[in-house]
Amino acid sequence: LARITFITPAGQERVVNVEGGTLMTAATKNQVDGIEGACGGVCSCATCHVHVDAAWVEKVGPQNVAEQGMLEFDERATPTSRLGCQVKITPELDGLKVKVVGP
Ligand code: FES
């Protein structure tokens, strides 16, 4: 089980407890504002864009090649950007904090 904190685009904290799935499914299952998951998790919509808290960047790991392609031209992308559907939830991510970029 991992406890994940999402900061919504409005600045609200949403804490959810998740087992399995991805950051995107964790957010959509719990109706976290600003994460739509429109493509169903196949890395082709970027409606699951988050900025990973600086303290967690290393544990979460870098963008994969598909994400790099999606985020390359996104002006809101930062070095800590990830697409939520590409981040698998593991027990190691317990405590993770991410900021939802939103639509
Ligand atoms: S859900 Fe579409 S890119 Fe992540």
Side-chain angles (χ1 to χ4, degrees):
L1 207 69
R3 187 172 182 269
I4 313 282
T5 303
F6 291 94
I7 315 290
T8 69
Q12 258 176 350
E13 274 202 8
R14 284 287 318 275
V15 180
V16 300
N17 291 308
V18 208
E19 187 151 26
T22 65
L23 269 186
M24 183 277 276
T25 58
T28 54
K29 268 188 206 148
N30 291 283
Q31 282 99 38
V32 173
D33 267 359
I35 296 203
E36 195 190 332
C39 75
V42 296
C43 201
S44 65
C45 71
T47 64
C48 60
H49 187 182
V50 300
H51 293 156
V52 175
D53 187 84
W56 283 89
V57 169
E58 208 164 302
K59 261 194 189 158
V60 172
Q63 296 165 12
N64 63 37
V65 176
E67 287 172 85
Q68 284 170 10
M70 285 299 296
L71 292 170
E72 198 174 7
F73 301 109
D74 189 327
E75 65 206 12
R76 295 182 302 170
T78 71
T80 72
S81 284
R82 290 297 311 264
L83 292 178
C85 65
Q86 303 300 302
V87 179
K88 285 207 174 71
I89 305 286
T90 61
E92 286 73 52
L93 294 186
D94 182 38
L96 172 64
K97 206 176 215 187
V98 300
K99 198 167 186 303
V100 177
V101 173

